[in-house]
Amino acid sequence: MNCRSEVLEVTVEARQVEEAMLALLHTILLHRSSGKFHYKKEGTYSIGTVGTLDIDCDFIDFTFVRVSSEELDRVIRKAVSEFKDALSNSGSDGMGQISLEFYQKKKSRWPFSDECIPWEVWSIKVNVVNLANEQERQICREKVGEKLGEKVINVVEVINRHEYLPKMPTQSEVDNVFDTSLKDVQPYLYKITYQITDSLGTSVSTTMRRLIKDTLALFMQSVTSHMGRTGFPVCNFSKSKHLLFTLKFSSQKTVAPSLKNIRVDICLSAE
Amino acid sequence: MDSGLSPQDKKDLDKFIKFFALKTVQVIVQARLGEKICTRSSSSPTGSDWFNLAIKDIPEVTHEAKKALAGQLPGIGRSMCVEISLKTSEGDSMELETWCLEMNEKCDKDIKVSYTVYNRLSVLLKSLLAITRVTPAYKLSRKQGHDYVILYRIYFGEVQLSGLGEGFQTVRAGVVGTPVGTVTLSCAYRTNLAFMSNRQFERSAPIMGIIVDHFVDPPGSGPRTANMGHPCNYRAPDDDDGGPYAGVQDSQEVCTTSFSTSPPSQCVCTLSPSPSKLSKPLPLDSLPLPLAPGLVTHTLYASRLSYHPQAGAAELGHPAANQGLHAGKEHGGVASNPAQPAHGADAHLAAENVANTPGENGGRRRDEQPSPSDPLESLNAFTRKIGAFVNKPNAPIQTAAGLDLPFAAFAPRGLDSEDSDPMVQPPDSPTCPSPLQASLHSQDSEGSGPQDDFVMVDFRPAFSKDDLLPMDLGTFYREFQNPPQLASLSLHISSQSMADDLDSLPEKLAVYEKNIDEFDAFVDMLQ
């Protein structure tokens, strides 16, 4: 199936970034969370209850509704504050994007790891501005509040189209569709990633790194399986733009005795 | 081809739609109570959490909704509407928004009732929760209390949007297709709030301490009042009104809690719409109930805002000034200024003060206003001529302690003769101490006067008394708003001093170098 992708854009002041992101991410997650499933016999299940909470923003004239789950709130806050720090440390012109992706896991045979197939991706583009005086900030407070209101209406419109949703899983499959790690609610499996556009226009992206890591891990695993060895790919990401992979092999059966212990270093650097 | 839903499915669908309507009303009304809503998630389902959402049921609201529905379900041409309106303390009212739950003919026959429809209705309720915080009426409802309250009215039948004024906007929370039709939930809200803007400065006796039944009109008391709608007061179930609102049993009807993961069965239906053409009149005997839980609490809070000490001269300008700042931010200019206290002598003063405050800082000078009394005027004239702390009357003056002032011990003593006062640098010797002295004496006799007859005061800083001391806070502040230029900044001096400075620089540097150890020790001490 195709993954549908939605983009929301907001322009905010630096101190409003956190609350704006929380508002939008929580609004989306409110619609994409369900109560905890309790499976009973004969393939039936019951669903727990989801509570809601009104949150007032301090720097924006806006109130949003989120799911009443402190664990989920903590996870989202952590991701948003990482994004905010990255945005402020990048020294760029203040443009970045945070993405909330809902995916399904598809189990594959060993040695390949499970595939994550996204079915809905929300990208929120952020543009940070600096304002000169208090009056402009006051106007910005209200305007951003109105803008966020419009974005919430957009989110609701998209969700209301009732397009593809993963099928309700059986008990054995529930972890492939839902995130069952929380105590009180059960959102669909999701991941949050972000990208900062730095001033050179290149994007240093965590998803890119993950993509490379996943691809190379797969490659290494296929290499090791071909060689009949067990291998441990160990990947280290250094802070600079170099990705260093260290792959260590130890083998019982040796094709050639000199290849008993192999260490492969792969270094990628981005220019 | 089968014609019709299975009876079980039909029954379920009706139940879903009925409870969806009731929950919709609850969400809308609760969103306009003026408070933040908070409910808890629970991982084990209870029988009364419809649509897997924790939405409290306010009994009066359920009662009103059931009364409006009167056993019917929303159908084609029969929409359930919740009208939200605003009513000021003067009795003016204005419709703000109308939420409509409509049903149209477009059937989605293949959909599985007990599963897909239920889940989609649940998502629609979540969308409703999100959207109710976004429309303009939400901000208004959060600020209700003293000046205005938010009322709701539920009716069933044709949607009426005429009360929303021109240019109203519509936002849709969502649609859910069912085998009997498509459920649509939308909101039409007013954008033109201009009607309210003239009202905010008129003040009448406040409605402090008002109790809930103030808004209850007897049935049939006239078409206008009957259409006012209900403010909703969420009271504990054991209130004396528990009788008519004891319809809680219905909401305890068990909701679907069990779902199956087996593949959906064939579900085909044709369903003819309910035959009876309902022409139910609008409920004209609606009982209005306040939509602010504990209206009393709100007025208490508001009365705290407008409290000011009445000792000595009444100080009414400043709290109103502070809240005038908030008035400026109100959407559509509806002010949340609490009404001034019910003090007859102050009412007109309050009106004038409030008329001056919106959008302005309380600290604005009012040079154009007439001084309340001659002493003050002469005092102002006197001090403007000479400067702060320079007048030194020789005659004894009343000490501040003799006056009934708070913090009298800290009153400025600049009027005592302190020749050694280093701050006093009179360019001219004081020429007329006596008017000041006379003013002080005459002040004393008028000490009680200002309470009764001052009409307008100009700049009145907080915590200060007016014109009982020659150098009160207001005068001080006024003086130092325009301080004289610093000597070192005036041009003809600066050029001279520049040359001098440059010449003396080498000597200064030598001195500093000699004392470098001392400076270092000093810096270390600071760290």
Side-chain angles (χ1 to χ4, degrees), chain B residues 64-120:
Chain B
E64 290 299 328
K66 287 192 174 149
K67 210 166 72 168
L69 285 174
Q72 305 264 330
L73 286 178
I76 295 151
R78 301 188 315 264
S79 314
M80 193 187 74
C81 303
V82 182
E83 181 189 284
I84 302 288
S85 53
L86 177 151
K87 180 171 159 177
T88 63
S89 50
E90 284 99 21
D92 296 310
S93 81
M94 179 166 75
E95 272 176 48
L96 294 178
E97 25 176 56
T98 301
W99 296 82
C100 314
L101 178 62
E102 297 164 305
M103 186 78 113
N104 68 25
E105 293 147 343
K106 190 168 159 215
C107 296
D108 185 347
K109 307 243 183 353
D110 299 326
I111 204 168
K112 185 166 193 284
V113 167
S114 71
Y115 163 74
T116 312
V117 170
Y118 190 81
N119 287 337
R120 288 189 181 177

Short mmCIF file of all heavy atoms in Angstrom, two decimals, chain B residues 64-120:
data_model
loop_
_atom_site.label_atom_id
_atom_site.label_comp_id
_atom_site.label_asym_id
_atom_site.label_seq_id
_atom_site.Cartn_x
_atom_site.Cartn_y
_atom_site.Cartn_z
N GLU B 64 -31.00 17.39 29.39
CA GLU B 64 -31.44 18.32 28.36
C GLU B 64 -31.37 17.70 26.98
O GLU B 64 -32.25 17.90 26.14
CB GLU B 64 -30.56 19.58 28.39
CG GLU B 64 -30.77 20.45 29.61
CD GLU B 64 -32.19 20.98 29.71
OE1 GLU B 64 -32.82 21.22 28.66
OE2 GLU B 64 -32.67 21.14 30.84
N ALA B 65 -30.28 16.97 26.75
CA ALA B 65 -30.13 16.37 25.43
C ALA B 65 -31.23 15.35 25.17
O ALA B 65 -31.81 15.30 24.08
CB ALA B 65 -28.75 15.71 25.32
N LYS B 66 -31.53 14.56 26.18
CA LYS B 66 -32.58 13.56 25.99
C LYS B 66 -33.92 14.23 25.79
O LYS B 66 -34.77 13.77 25.02
CB LYS B 66 -32.63 12.62 27.18
CG LYS B 66 -31.48 11.69 27.19
CD LYS B 66 -31.69 10.58 28.18
CE LYS B 66 -30.56 9.59 28.02
NZ LYS B 66 -30.22 8.94 29.24
N LYS B 67 -34.12 15.30 26.49
CA LYS B 67 -35.37 16.02 26.35
C LYS B 67 -35.50 16.54 24.92
O LYS B 67 -36.56 16.48 24.32
CB LYS B 67 -35.37 17.20 27.33
CG LYS B 67 -36.74 17.59 27.83
CD LYS B 67 -36.66 18.49 29.02
CE LYS B 67 -36.19 19.87 28.61
NZ LYS B 67 -36.37 20.88 29.67
N ALA B 68 -34.39 17.04 24.40
CA ALA B 68 -34.45 17.58 23.05
C ALA B 68 -34.68 16.46 22.03
O ALA B 68 -35.44 16.60 21.08
CB ALA B 68 -33.17 18.34 22.72
N LEU B 69 -34.01 15.36 22.24
CA LEU B 69 -34.15 14.26 21.29
C LEU B 69 -35.51 13.59 21.40
O LEU B 69 -36.07 13.14 20.41
CB LEU B 69 -33.07 13.21 21.53
CG LEU B 69 -31.66 13.55 21.06
CD1 LEU B 69 -30.69 12.48 21.51
CD2 LEU B 69 -31.62 13.65 19.55
N ALA B 70 -36.00 13.52 22.61
CA ALA B 70 -37.33 12.94 22.88
C ALA B 70 -37.49 11.59 22.20
O ALA B 70 -38.46 11.34 21.50
CB ALA B 70 -38.43 13.90 22.45
N GLY B 71 -36.47 10.77 22.39
CA GLY B 71 -36.58 9.42 21.87
C GLY B 71 -36.28 9.28 20.40
O GLY B 71 -36.24 8.18 19.87
N GLN B 72 -36.04 10.37 19.71
CA GLN B 72 -35.72 10.28 18.29
C GLN B 72 -34.22 10.17 18.11
O GLN B 72 -33.45 10.42 19.03
CB GLN B 72 -36.16 11.56 17.59
CG GLN B 72 -37.59 11.90 17.79
CD GLN B 72 -38.37 11.41 16.63
OE1 GLN B 72 -37.85 11.33 15.53
NE2 GLN B 72 -39.62 11.07 16.86
N LEU B 73 -33.86 9.83 16.92
CA LEU B 73 -32.44 9.84 16.60
C LEU B 73 -32.21 10.88 15.52
O LEU B 73 -33.11 11.15 14.73
CB LEU B 73 -32.01 8.47 16.06
CG LEU B 73 -31.89 7.36 17.08
CD1 LEU B 73 -31.50 6.09 16.38
CD2 LEU B 73 -30.89 7.72 18.16
N PRO B 74 -31.00 11.41 15.43
CA PRO B 74 -30.73 12.33 14.31
C PRO B 74 -30.97 11.59 13.01
O PRO B 74 -30.55 10.44 12.83
CB PRO B 74 -29.25 12.66 14.48
CG PRO B 74 -28.96 12.42 15.90
CD PRO B 74 -29.88 11.34 16.35
N GLY B 75 -31.67 12.21 12.13
CA GLY B 75 -31.96 11.58 10.86
C GLY B 75 -31.92 12.62 9.78
O GLY B 75 -31.49 13.77 10.00
N ILE B 76 -32.41 12.22 8.62
CA ILE B 76 -32.36 13.16 7.51
C ILE B 76 -33.37 14.25 7.77
O ILE B 76 -34.56 13.98 7.98
CB ILE B 76 -32.65 12.41 6.22
CG1 ILE B 76 -31.52 11.41 6.01
CG2 ILE B 76 -32.75 13.35 5.05
CD1 ILE B 76 -31.90 10.19 5.28
N GLY B 77 -32.91 15.47 7.78
CA GLY B 77 -33.81 16.57 8.08
C GLY B 77 -34.03 16.78 9.56
O GLY B 77 -34.68 17.74 9.97
N ARG B 78 -33.50 15.87 10.35
CA ARG B 78 -33.64 16.06 11.79
C ARG B 78 -32.25 16.08 12.37
O ARG B 78 -31.65 15.04 12.63
CB ARG B 78 -34.40 14.89 12.42
CG ARG B 78 -35.78 14.65 11.88
CD ARG B 78 -36.49 13.61 12.73
NE ARG B 78 -35.67 12.45 13.05
CZ ARG B 78 -35.67 11.31 12.37
NH1 ARG B 78 -36.40 11.21 11.28
NH2 ARG B 78 -34.92 10.30 12.75
N SER B 79 -31.75 17.29 12.56
CA SER B 79 -30.40 17.39 13.08
C SER B 79 -30.45 17.74 14.54
O SER B 79 -31.38 18.40 15.00
CB SER B 79 -29.63 18.48 12.35
OG SER B 79 -29.82 18.37 10.98
N MET B 80 -29.43 17.31 15.23
CA MET B 80 -29.34 17.72 16.62
C MET B 80 -28.35 18.87 16.68
O MET B 80 -27.23 18.75 16.18
CB MET B 80 -28.84 16.57 17.48
CG MET B 80 -29.04 16.89 18.93
SD MET B 80 -28.30 15.71 20.00
CE MET B 80 -26.62 16.19 19.77
N CYS B 81 -28.77 19.95 17.26
CA CYS B 81 -27.92 21.14 17.27
C CYS B 81 -27.69 21.62 18.69
O CYS B 81 -28.60 21.60 19.52
CB CYS B 81 -28.57 22.27 16.48
SG CYS B 81 -28.94 21.82 14.81
N VAL B 82 -26.47 22.05 18.91
CA VAL B 82 -26.14 22.68 20.19
C VAL B 82 -25.74 24.10 19.89
O VAL B 82 -24.79 24.34 19.14
CB VAL B 82 -24.96 21.95 20.89
CG1 VAL B 82 -24.67 22.59 22.22
CG2 VAL B 82 -25.28 20.48 21.05
N GLU B 83 -26.47 25.03 20.45
CA GLU B 83 -26.19 26.43 20.17
C GLU B 83 -25.49 27.02 21.38
O GLU B 83 -25.96 26.90 22.51
CB GLU B 83 -27.52 27.13 19.92
CG GLU B 83 -27.40 28.58 19.59
CD GLU B 83 -28.79 29.19 19.58
OE1 GLU B 83 -29.52 28.97 18.61
OE2 GLU B 83 -29.14 29.86 20.57
N ILE B 84 -24.35 27.67 21.14
CA ILE B 84 -23.59 28.29 22.21
C ILE B 84 -23.76 29.79 22.08
O ILE B 84 -23.52 30.35 21.01
CB ILE B 84 -22.10 27.93 22.09
CG1 ILE B 84 -21.91 26.42 22.12
CG2 ILE B 84 -21.29 28.59 23.17
CD1 ILE B 84 -22.12 25.79 23.44
N SER B 85 -24.17 30.43 23.17
CA SER B 85 -24.31 31.87 23.09
C SER B 85 -23.70 32.51 24.32
O SER B 85 -23.37 31.85 25.31
CB SER B 85 -25.78 32.26 22.94
OG SER B 85 -26.53 31.67 23.96
N LEU B 86 -23.56 33.80 24.24
CA LEU B 86 -22.90 34.56 25.28
C LEU B 86 -23.91 35.53 25.83
O LEU B 86 -24.65 36.15 25.08
CB LEU B 86 -21.72 35.30 24.65
CG LEU B 86 -20.87 36.23 25.48
CD1 LEU B 86 -19.48 36.23 24.88
CD2 LEU B 86 -21.40 37.63 25.43
N LYS B 87 -23.95 35.67 27.15
CA LYS B 87 -24.89 36.61 27.74
C LYS B 87 -24.12 37.47 28.72
O LYS B 87 -23.44 36.97 29.61
CB LYS B 87 -26.00 35.84 28.46
CG LYS B 87 -27.01 36.76 29.09
CD LYS B 87 -28.21 36.00 29.60
CE LYS B 87 -28.89 36.86 30.65
NZ LYS B 87 -30.08 36.29 31.15
N THR B 88 -24.25 38.78 28.53
CA THR B 88 -23.51 39.68 29.41
C THR B 88 -24.31 39.94 30.68
O THR B 88 -25.48 39.62 30.78
CB THR B 88 -23.26 41.03 28.72
OG1 THR B 88 -24.52 41.63 28.45
CG2 THR B 88 -22.51 40.84 27.43
N SER B 89 -23.66 40.59 31.60
CA SER B 89 -24.34 40.86 32.87
C SER B 89 -25.44 41.88 32.69
O SER B 89 -26.33 41.99 33.53
CB SER B 89 -23.33 41.35 33.90
OG SER B 89 -22.54 42.39 33.35
N GLU B 90 -25.40 42.63 31.58
CA GLU B 90 -26.50 43.57 31.36
C GLU B 90 -27.69 42.91 30.71
O GLU B 90 -28.71 43.56 30.51
CB GLU B 90 -26.05 44.73 30.47
CG GLU B 90 -25.19 45.74 31.17
CD GLU B 90 -23.74 45.49 30.87
OE1 GLU B 90 -23.45 44.84 29.86
OE2 GLU B 90 -22.89 45.94 31.64
N GLY B 91 -27.50 41.68 30.32
CA GLY B 91 -28.64 41.00 29.72
C GLY B 91 -28.59 40.88 28.22
O GLY B 91 -29.45 40.26 27.62
N ASP B 92 -27.57 41.46 27.58
CA ASP B 92 -27.47 41.28 26.14
C ASP B 92 -26.95 39.90 25.84
O ASP B 92 -26.13 39.36 26.58
CB ASP B 92 -26.48 42.28 25.54
CG ASP B 92 -26.96 43.69 25.73
OD1 ASP B 92 -28.12 43.94 25.38
OD2 ASP B 92 -26.18 44.49 26.23
N SER B 93 -27.39 39.38 24.75
CA SER B 93 -26.86 38.07 24.41
C SER B 93 -26.59 37.98 22.91
O SER B 93 -27.11 38.77 22.13
CB SER B 93 -27.80 36.97 24.84
OG SER B 93 -28.82 36.83 23.91
N MET B 94 -25.77 37.05 22.59
CA MET B 94 -25.32 36.92 21.20
C MET B 94 -24.99 35.46 20.96
O MET B 94 -24.32 34.83 21.79
CB MET B 94 -24.05 37.77 21.06
CG MET B 94 -23.45 37.74 19.72
SD MET B 94 -22.23 39.03 19.53
CE MET B 94 -20.88 38.39 20.46
N GLU B 95 -25.44 34.96 19.84
CA GLU B 95 -25.09 33.57 19.52
C GLU B 95 -23.66 33.51 19.03
O GLU B 95 -23.26 34.30 18.17
CB GLU B 95 -25.98 33.08 18.38
CG GLU B 95 -27.28 32.48 18.83
CD GLU B 95 -28.12 32.13 17.62
OE1 GLU B 95 -27.59 31.50 16.70
OE2 GLU B 95 -29.29 32.53 17.61
N LEU B 96 -22.91 32.57 19.52
CA LEU B 96 -21.53 32.46 19.11
C LEU B 96 -21.33 31.34 18.09
O LEU B 96 -20.64 31.51 17.10
CB LEU B 96 -20.63 32.19 20.32
CG LEU B 96 -20.54 33.32 21.32
CD1 LEU B 96 -19.66 32.90 22.49
CD2 LEU B 96 -19.98 34.56 20.68
N GLU B 97 -21.87 30.17 18.38
CA GLU B 97 -21.67 29.08 17.44
C GLU B 97 -22.83 28.10 17.54
O GLU B 97 -23.55 28.08 18.52
CB GLU B 97 -20.36 28.33 17.68
CG GLU B 97 -19.81 28.39 19.05
CD GLU B 97 -18.57 27.57 19.26
OE1 GLU B 97 -17.58 27.77 18.55
OE2 GLU B 97 -18.61 26.74 20.17
N THR B 98 -22.96 27.32 16.47
CA THR B 98 -23.96 26.25 16.46
C THR B 98 -23.28 24.99 15.96
O THR B 98 -22.72 24.95 14.86
CB THR B 98 -25.13 26.60 15.52
OG1 THR B 98 -25.72 27.80 15.97
CG2 THR B 98 -26.17 25.50 15.54
N TRP B 99 -23.30 23.97 16.78
CA TRP B 99 -22.74 22.68 16.40
C TRP B 99 -23.88 21.80 15.91
O TRP B 99 -24.91 21.69 16.57
CB TRP B 99 -22.08 22.02 17.61
CG TRP B 99 -20.91 22.77 18.14
CD1 TRP B 99 -20.93 23.84 18.97
CD2 TRP B 99 -19.55 22.53 17.83
NE1 TRP B 99 -19.66 24.28 19.21
CE2 TRP B 99 -18.80 23.49 18.54
CE3 TRP B 99 -18.88 21.59 17.04
CZ2 TRP B 99 -17.41 23.55 18.46
CZ3 TRP B 99 -17.49 21.64 16.99
CH2 TRP B 99 -16.77 22.61 17.69
N CYS B 100 -23.68 21.17 14.76
CA CYS B 100 -24.77 20.38 14.18
C CYS B 100 -24.32 18.95 13.96
O CYS B 100 -23.28 18.70 13.36
CB CYS B 100 -25.17 20.92 12.81
SG CYS B 100 -25.36 22.67 12.78
N LEU B 101 -25.15 18.05 14.42
CA LEU B 101 -24.95 16.63 14.14
C LEU B 101 -26.03 16.24 13.15
O LEU B 101 -27.21 16.20 13.49
CB LEU B 101 -25.08 15.83 15.44
CG LEU B 101 -24.95 14.33 15.33
CD1 LEU B 101 -23.58 13.96 14.82
CD2 LEU B 101 -25.18 13.69 16.68
N GLU B 102 -25.61 16.03 11.92
CA GLU B 102 -26.60 15.80 10.87
C GLU B 102 -26.43 14.41 10.29
O GLU B 102 -25.38 13.80 10.42
CB GLU B 102 -26.41 16.82 9.74
CG GLU B 102 -26.63 18.23 10.17
CD GLU B 102 -26.07 19.23 9.17
OE1 GLU B 102 -24.88 19.14 8.84
OE2 GLU B 102 -26.85 20.09 8.74
N MET B 103 -27.47 14.01 9.63
CA MET B 103 -27.44 12.71 8.97
C MET B 103 -27.87 12.93 7.54
O MET B 103 -28.89 13.60 7.30
CB MET B 103 -28.43 11.78 9.68
CG MET B 103 -28.41 10.38 9.21
SD MET B 103 -27.01 9.50 9.91
CE MET B 103 -27.87 8.37 10.93
N ASN B 104 -27.14 12.40 6.58
CA ASN B 104 -27.66 12.54 5.22
C ASN B 104 -27.86 11.16 4.63
O ASN B 104 -27.63 10.14 5.27
CB ASN B 104 -26.75 13.43 4.39
CG ASN B 104 -25.40 12.78 4.12
OD1 ASN B 104 -25.28 11.56 4.12
ND2 ASN B 104 -24.40 13.59 3.90
N GLU B 105 -28.28 11.15 3.35
CA GLU B 105 -28.79 9.90 2.81
C GLU B 105 -27.72 8.97 2.32
O GLU B 105 -28.00 7.84 1.98
CB GLU B 105 -29.71 10.20 1.63
CG GLU B 105 -30.95 10.90 2.04
CD GLU B 105 -31.40 11.85 0.94
OE1 GLU B 105 -30.56 12.16 0.06
OE2 GLU B 105 -32.55 12.28 0.98
N LYS B 106 -26.51 9.42 2.26
CA LYS B 106 -25.49 8.62 1.60
C LYS B 106 -25.13 7.44 2.50
O LYS B 106 -24.50 7.61 3.54
CB LYS B 106 -24.27 9.51 1.38
CG LYS B 106 -23.23 8.94 0.53
CD LYS B 106 -22.22 10.01 0.14
CE LYS B 106 -20.97 9.25 -0.27
NZ LYS B 106 -19.74 9.78 0.02
N CYS B 107 -25.52 6.26 2.10
CA CYS B 107 -25.27 5.09 2.93
C CYS B 107 -23.99 4.40 2.52
O CYS B 107 -23.63 4.38 1.35
CB CYS B 107 -26.41 4.07 2.77
SG CYS B 107 -27.98 4.65 3.34
N ASP B 108 -23.35 3.85 3.50
CA ASP B 108 -22.17 3.04 3.20
C ASP B 108 -22.53 1.63 3.61
O ASP B 108 -22.46 1.25 4.78
CB ASP B 108 -20.99 3.57 4.02
CG ASP B 108 -19.70 2.85 3.69
OD1 ASP B 108 -19.76 1.79 3.02
OD2 ASP B 108 -18.64 3.33 4.09
N LYS B 109 -22.96 0.86 2.63
CA LYS B 109 -23.60 -0.40 3.00
C LYS B 109 -22.63 -1.47 3.45
O LYS B 109 -23.00 -2.40 4.11
CB LYS B 109 -24.41 -0.92 1.81
CG LYS B 109 -25.36 0.10 1.24
CD LYS B 109 -26.75 -0.41 1.41
CE LYS B 109 -27.86 0.40 0.86
NZ LYS B 109 -27.78 1.65 0.32
N ASP B 110 -21.40 -1.34 3.01
CA ASP B 110 -20.50 -2.46 3.26
C ASP B 110 -19.76 -2.35 4.57
O ASP B 110 -18.89 -3.15 4.85
CB ASP B 110 -19.45 -2.54 2.14
CG ASP B 110 -20.12 -2.76 0.81
OD1 ASP B 110 -21.15 -3.46 0.82
OD2 ASP B 110 -19.63 -2.21 -0.18
N ILE B 111 -20.08 -1.38 5.30
CA ILE B 111 -19.25 -1.14 6.47
C ILE B 111 -19.74 -2.00 7.62
O ILE B 111 -20.92 -2.31 7.74
CB ILE B 111 -19.31 0.37 6.82
CG1 ILE B 111 -18.08 0.77 7.59
CG2 ILE B 111 -20.54 0.72 7.57
CD1 ILE B 111 -17.98 2.26 7.69
N LYS B 112 -18.82 -2.40 8.44
CA LYS B 112 -19.20 -3.27 9.55
C LYS B 112 -19.58 -2.41 10.74
O LYS B 112 -18.79 -1.58 11.21
CB LYS B 112 -18.02 -4.16 9.91
CG LYS B 112 -18.35 -5.19 10.97
CD LYS B 112 -17.28 -6.27 11.04
CE LYS B 112 -17.76 -7.43 11.87
NZ LYS B 112 -17.74 -7.17 13.31
N VAL B 113 -20.76 -2.61 11.23
CA VAL B 113 -21.30 -1.68 12.22
C VAL B 113 -20.55 -1.74 13.53
O VAL B 113 -20.06 -0.75 14.05
CB VAL B 113 -22.79 -1.98 12.45
CG1 VAL B 113 -23.28 -1.25 13.68
CG2 VAL B 113 -23.59 -1.54 11.25
N SER B 114 -20.45 -2.93 14.06
CA SER B 114 -20.01 -2.97 15.45
C SER B 114 -18.53 -2.75 15.57
O SER B 114 -17.98 -2.82 16.64
CB SER B 114 -20.35 -4.34 16.04
OG SER B 114 -19.49 -5.31 15.46
N TYR B 115 -17.89 -2.48 14.49
CA TYR B 115 -16.45 -2.46 14.55
C TYR B 115 -15.93 -1.20 13.88
O TYR B 115 -15.47 -0.29 14.55
CB TYR B 115 -15.95 -3.76 13.90
CG TYR B 115 -14.53 -3.77 13.51
CD1 TYR B 115 -13.55 -3.87 14.48
CD2 TYR B 115 -14.16 -3.68 12.19
CE1 TYR B 115 -12.23 -3.88 14.11
CE2 TYR B 115 -12.85 -3.68 11.83
CZ TYR B 115 -11.88 -3.79 12.79
OH TYR B 115 -10.59 -3.79 12.43
N THR B 116 -16.13 -1.12 12.59
CA THR B 116 -15.59 0.05 11.89
C THR B 116 -16.34 1.31 12.25
O THR B 116 -15.75 2.36 12.53
CB THR B 116 -15.65 -0.16 10.38
OG1 THR B 116 -15.13 -1.44 10.09
CG2 THR B 116 -14.84 0.89 9.66
N VAL B 117 -17.66 1.20 12.27
CA VAL B 117 -18.45 2.40 12.57
C VAL B 117 -18.14 2.87 13.98
O VAL B 117 -17.96 4.06 14.24
CB VAL B 117 -19.96 2.11 12.40
CG1 VAL B 117 -20.77 3.27 12.93
CG2 VAL B 117 -20.28 1.89 10.95
N TYR B 118 -18.07 1.93 14.89
CA TYR B 118 -17.79 2.30 16.28
C TYR B 118 -16.44 2.99 16.39
O TYR B 118 -16.31 4.04 17.04
CB TYR B 118 -17.80 1.03 17.13
CG TYR B 118 -17.78 1.26 18.61
CD1 TYR B 118 -18.94 1.58 19.30
CD2 TYR B 118 -16.60 1.17 19.34
CE1 TYR B 118 -18.93 1.79 20.66
CE2 TYR B 118 -16.58 1.38 20.70
CZ TYR B 118 -17.75 1.68 21.35
OH TYR B 118 -17.72 1.89 22.70
N ASN B 119 -15.42 2.44 15.75
CA ASN B 119 -14.11 3.05 15.85
C ASN B 119 -14.07 4.42 15.18
O ASN B 119 -13.43 5.35 15.67
CB ASN B 119 -13.04 2.14 15.22
CG ASN B 119 -12.75 0.95 16.10
OD1 ASN B 119 -12.98 1.00 17.30
ND2 ASN B 119 -12.26 -0.12 15.50
N ARG B 120 -14.78 4.53 14.07
CA ARG B 120 -14.77 5.83 13.41
C ARG B 120 -15.53 6.87 14.21
O ARG B 120 -15.16 8.04 14.24
CB ARG B 120 -15.37 5.71 12.02
CG ARG B 120 -14.43 4.99 11.10
CD ARG B 120 -14.88 5.05 9.69
NE ARG B 120 -13.94 4.31 8.84
CZ ARG B 120 -14.12 4.14 7.55
NH1 ARG B 120 -15.18 4.64 6.96
NH2 ARG B 120 -13.23 3.46 6.86
#
